Amino acid sequence: MTTSTVHALPTIAWPVRTHLTKIQTGAGSINGLVDELDFLEKERAVVIAGPNAAKGPTFQRILDLLGPRCVATYTGVQMHTPRHTVYDATDVVTAARADVLVTLGGGSTSDLAKAVATMLGEGRPIEELHSEFTPPDTYVEQFLKRPKMPQISVPTTLSGADVAAGFGVMGPDHLKRICRGDYVAARVVFLDPEATLETPLEAFAHSGMNGLAHGIEALYSRTREPLSTAMALESIRLFVTNLLLVMDRPSDLDIRLDLLWANVLGGMLLSNARMGIHHGVSHALGGSLGMTHGFSNALMLPYTLQYNLEYVAPYIARAAVPLGLAVAGQSDIDAARAVIDKIFEVRTALRVPRTLRDLPEPPSDQTLRELSETVYSFERSTYFNPRPIRSADDVYELFRLANG
Ligand SMILES: [Fe+2]
């Protein structure tokens, strides 16, 4: 690989935070749940899950393990964590006089617990706790630092939410506002691959495309640093390798555990390496068109890389060697293109539609124009994107690429 920087890509000075999360791994590891309550010196747990997870055996297993130390459950989790669910769950947690939250689920479940703990810990409504972005380049971060109720989490997808120092809550306007702070990430995470078997396979795999995007966007993040780059490269390798395997061997727990580790790396990246426009368009598609965050990520990721290519090629090219791609002697642009081709290959294995136009209900041009306005006017990710985003037309250009 030869090195050439097509556009200089300066970083933004940014504090780096390390993590306090304890990670327990292995099939059956959740059997140690009560030991972790003891470790945290907590007695009164509220178990939080979505309605589907609450019907599964792992949820029941958690209730059995906790016995009388489970003082309530909340099973009203919804996709993208709508604001009203935060208030509903907070009422349950307060009435139960809980001192610890146990979550079983994906990013929306984890984000709900984080939002509850944050609202209670900060003592202010969730509407007042997010960071603010005003286009084109004014970002004001509100970093929340008060102690919060600890969470123990059992992830069933690959969003990385459990270990990330931030979370999103969707308002009635379908916009996802992001809160960030210390003590937001779970204190204990169980990487138990058996718990993931209850997640529908395609949803599980699509959530891996979100995790993969965390690694990819971290590589070229404007707040990248050596720690994030090292984690990003290994997360990309683990995601690509194992997402290509999991559809054919869905009950292989070793593949799933590797994916859970990739998920942890991706979540840790979210704490420090701020995400770019890919996450902005994925949030907009999810909030407006009802896609899961994993699916919108899967749809958009290679197109975002094409869109950003001239700005990010040397950074994306670094993923070529860990992915085993033969790029010796190639330019950064060509090596980056080989990485993008590999991501297309993963998408194909996951049966992701090739373009927006291939969706069962493709968004109209008018919708894409409106989404472009939303992303430009609201999404902080445009501030952190390596390619400057100066107008809604700039965002629309990315949707046009993804439209085929
Ligand atoms: Fe994400």
Side-chain angles (χ1 to χ4, degrees), residues 21 37 72 124 231 274 290 293:
T21 305
L37 258 73
R124 287 189 287 149
M231 292 198 295
R274 303 304 305 273
H293 188 54

mmCIF file with all atom_site columns, all heavy atoms in Angstrom, residues 21 37 72 124 231 274 290 293:
data_model
loop_
_atom_site.group_PDB
_atom_site.id
_atom_site.type_symbol
_atom_site.label_atom_id
_atom_site.label_alt_id
_atom_site.label_comp_id
_atom_site.label_asym_id
_atom_site.label_entity_id
_atom_site.label_seq_id
_atom_site.pdbx_PDB_ins_code
_atom_site.Cartn_x
_atom_site.Cartn_y
_atom_site.Cartn_z
_atom_site.occupancy
_atom_site.B_iso_or_equiv
_atom_site.pdbx_formal_charge
_atom_site.auth_seq_id
_atom_site.auth_comp_id
_atom_site.auth_asym_id
_atom_site.auth_atom_id
_atom_site.pdbx_PDB_model_num
ATOM 1  N N   . THR A 1 21  ? -16.378 -0.510 32.861 1.00 0.00 ? 21  THR A N   1
ATOM 2  C CA  . THR A 1 21  ? -17.273 -1.665 32.717 1.00 0.00 ? 21  THR A CA  1
ATOM 3  C C   . THR A 1 21  ? -16.522 -2.974 32.962 1.00 0.00 ? 21  THR A C   1
ATOM 4  O O   . THR A 1 21  ? -15.441 -3.192 32.417 1.00 0.00 ? 21  THR A O   1
ATOM 5  C CB  . THR A 1 21  ? -17.867 -1.682 31.301 1.00 0.00 ? 21  THR A CB  1
ATOM 6  O OG1 . THR A 1 21  ? -18.491 -0.428 31.053 1.00 0.00 ? 21  THR A OG1 1
ATOM 7  C CG2 . THR A 1 21  ? -18.877 -2.799 31.146 1.00 0.00 ? 21  THR A CG2 1
ATOM 8  N N   . LEU A 1 37  ? -24.548 -8.640 41.456 1.00 0.00 ? 37  LEU A N   1
ATOM 9  C CA  . LEU A 1 37  ? -25.314 -7.781 42.368 1.00 0.00 ? 37  LEU A CA  1
ATOM 10 C C   . LEU A 1 37  ? -24.565 -7.635 43.695 1.00 0.00 ? 37  LEU A C   1
ATOM 11 O O   . LEU A 1 37  ? -24.476 -6.537 44.255 1.00 0.00 ? 37  LEU A O   1
ATOM 12 C CB  . LEU A 1 37  ? -26.711 -8.371 42.624 1.00 0.00 ? 37  LEU A CB  1
ATOM 13 C CG  . LEU A 1 37  ? -27.855 -7.714 41.844 1.00 0.00 ? 37  LEU A CG  1
ATOM 14 C CD1 . LEU A 1 37  ? -27.782 -8.125 40.389 1.00 0.00 ? 37  LEU A CD1 1
ATOM 15 C CD2 . LEU A 1 37  ? -29.213 -8.066 42.433 1.00 0.00 ? 37  LEU A CD2 1
ATOM 16 N N   . ALA A 1 72  ? -39.208 -5.564 40.318 1.00 0.00 ? 72  ALA A N   1
ATOM 17 C CA  . ALA A 1 72  ? -40.170 -5.160 39.281 1.00 0.00 ? 72  ALA A CA  1
ATOM 18 C C   . ALA A 1 72  ? -39.566 -5.468 37.919 1.00 0.00 ? 72  ALA A C   1
ATOM 19 O O   . ALA A 1 72  ? -38.358 -5.708 37.791 1.00 0.00 ? 72  ALA A O   1
ATOM 20 C CB  . ALA A 1 72  ? -40.493 -3.672 39.381 1.00 0.00 ? 72  ALA A CB  1
ATOM 21 N N   . ARG A 1 124 ? -33.001 15.914 36.521 1.00 0.00 ? 124 ARG A N   1
ATOM 22 C CA  . ARG A 1 124 ? -33.638 16.842 35.569 1.00 0.00 ? 124 ARG A CA  1
ATOM 23 C C   . ARG A 1 124 ? -34.346 16.041 34.480 1.00 0.00 ? 124 ARG A C   1
ATOM 24 O O   . ARG A 1 124 ? -33.971 14.890 34.209 1.00 0.00 ? 124 ARG A O   1
ATOM 25 C CB  . ARG A 1 124 ? -32.581 17.734 34.906 1.00 0.00 ? 124 ARG A CB  1
ATOM 26 C CG  . ARG A 1 124 ? -32.024 18.810 35.829 1.00 0.00 ? 124 ARG A CG  1
ATOM 27 C CD  . ARG A 1 124 ? -31.155 19.785 35.054 1.00 0.00 ? 124 ARG A CD  1
ATOM 28 N NE  . ARG A 1 124 ? -29.877 19.210 34.673 1.00 0.00 ? 124 ARG A NE  1
ATOM 29 C CZ  . ARG A 1 124 ? -29.191 19.529 33.577 1.00 0.00 ? 124 ARG A CZ  1
ATOM 30 N NH1 . ARG A 1 124 ? -29.684 20.413 32.741 1.00 0.00 ? 124 ARG A NH1 1
ATOM 31 N NH2 . ARG A 1 124 ? -28.042 18.948 33.310 1.00 0.00 ? 124 ARG A NH2 1
ATOM 32 N N   . MET A 1 231 ? -8.538  -0.196 18.420 1.00 0.00 ? 231 MET A N   1
ATOM 33 C CA  . MET A 1 231 ? -9.790  -0.916 18.677 1.00 0.00 ? 231 MET A CA  1
ATOM 34 C C   . MET A 1 231 ? -10.622 -1.034 17.403 1.00 0.00 ? 231 MET A C   1
ATOM 35 O O   . MET A 1 231 ? -11.257 -2.058 17.150 1.00 0.00 ? 231 MET A O   1
ATOM 36 C CB  . MET A 1 231 ? -10.600 -0.210 19.771 1.00 0.00 ? 231 MET A CB  1
ATOM 37 C CG  . MET A 1 231 ? -9.947  -0.280 21.132 1.00 0.00 ? 231 MET A CG  1
ATOM 38 S SD  . MET A 1 231 ? -11.101 0.082  22.488 1.00 0.00 ? 231 MET A SD  1
ATOM 39 C CE  . MET A 1 231 ? -11.503 1.772  22.153 1.00 0.00 ? 231 MET A CE  1
ATOM 40 N N   . ARG A 1 274 ? -15.980 10.209 17.712 1.00 0.00 ? 274 ARG A N   1
ATOM 41 C CA  . ARG A 1 274 ? -17.331 10.642 17.349 1.00 0.00 ? 274 ARG A CA  1
ATOM 42 C C   . ARG A 1 274 ? -17.664 10.244 15.913 1.00 0.00 ? 274 ARG A C   1
ATOM 43 O O   . ARG A 1 274 ? -16.821 10.313 15.017 1.00 0.00 ? 274 ARG A O   1
ATOM 44 C CB  . ARG A 1 274 ? -17.474 12.155 17.541 1.00 0.00 ? 274 ARG A CB  1
ATOM 45 C CG  . ARG A 1 274 ? -17.164 12.623 18.956 1.00 0.00 ? 274 ARG A CG  1
ATOM 46 C CD  . ARG A 1 274 ? -18.008 11.940 20.017 1.00 0.00 ? 274 ARG A CD  1
ATOM 47 N NE  . ARG A 1 274 ? -19.433 12.065 19.788 1.00 0.00 ? 274 ARG A NE  1
ATOM 48 C CZ  . ARG A 1 274 ? -20.185 13.067 20.200 1.00 0.00 ? 274 ARG A CZ  1
ATOM 49 N NH1 . ARG A 1 274 ? -19.641 14.061 20.885 1.00 0.00 ? 274 ARG A NH1 1
ATOM 50 N NH2 . ARG A 1 274 ? -21.493 13.086 19.958 1.00 0.00 ? 274 ARG A NH2 1
ATOM 51 N N   . GLY A 1 290 ? -38.964 4.077  10.094 1.00 0.00 ? 290 GLY A N   1
ATOM 52 C CA  . GLY A 1 290 ? -39.220 2.926  10.953 1.00 0.00 ? 290 GLY A CA  1
ATOM 53 C C   . GLY A 1 290 ? -38.265 1.764  10.750 1.00 0.00 ? 290 GLY A C   1
ATOM 54 O O   . GLY A 1 290 ? -38.599 0.617  11.052 1.00 0.00 ? 290 GLY A O   1
ATOM 55 N N   . HIS A 1 293 ? -31.953 0.496  13.605 1.00 0.00 ? 293 HIS A N   1
ATOM 56 C CA  . HIS A 1 293 ? -30.659 1.178  13.417 1.00 0.00 ? 293 HIS A CA  1
ATOM 57 C C   . HIS A 1 293 ? -29.691 0.254  12.672 1.00 0.00 ? 293 HIS A C   1
ATOM 58 O O   . HIS A 1 293 ? -28.899 0.704  11.847 1.00 0.00 ? 293 HIS A O   1
ATOM 59 C CB  . HIS A 1 293 ? -30.111 1.576  14.792 1.00 0.00 ? 293 HIS A CB  1
ATOM 60 C CG  . HIS A 1 293 ? -28.899 2.441  14.740 1.00 0.00 ? 293 HIS A CG  1
ATOM 61 N ND1 . HIS A 1 293 ? -28.839 3.621  14.035 1.00 0.00 ? 293 HIS A ND1 1
ATOM 62 C CD2 . HIS A 1 293 ? -27.674 2.306  15.318 1.00 0.00 ? 293 HIS A CD2 1
ATOM 63 C CE1 . HIS A 1 293 ? -27.638 4.172  14.183 1.00 0.00 ? 293 HIS A CE1 1
ATOM 64 N NE2 . HIS A 1 293 ? -26.914 3.383  14.952 1.00 0.00 ? 293 HIS A NE2 1
#
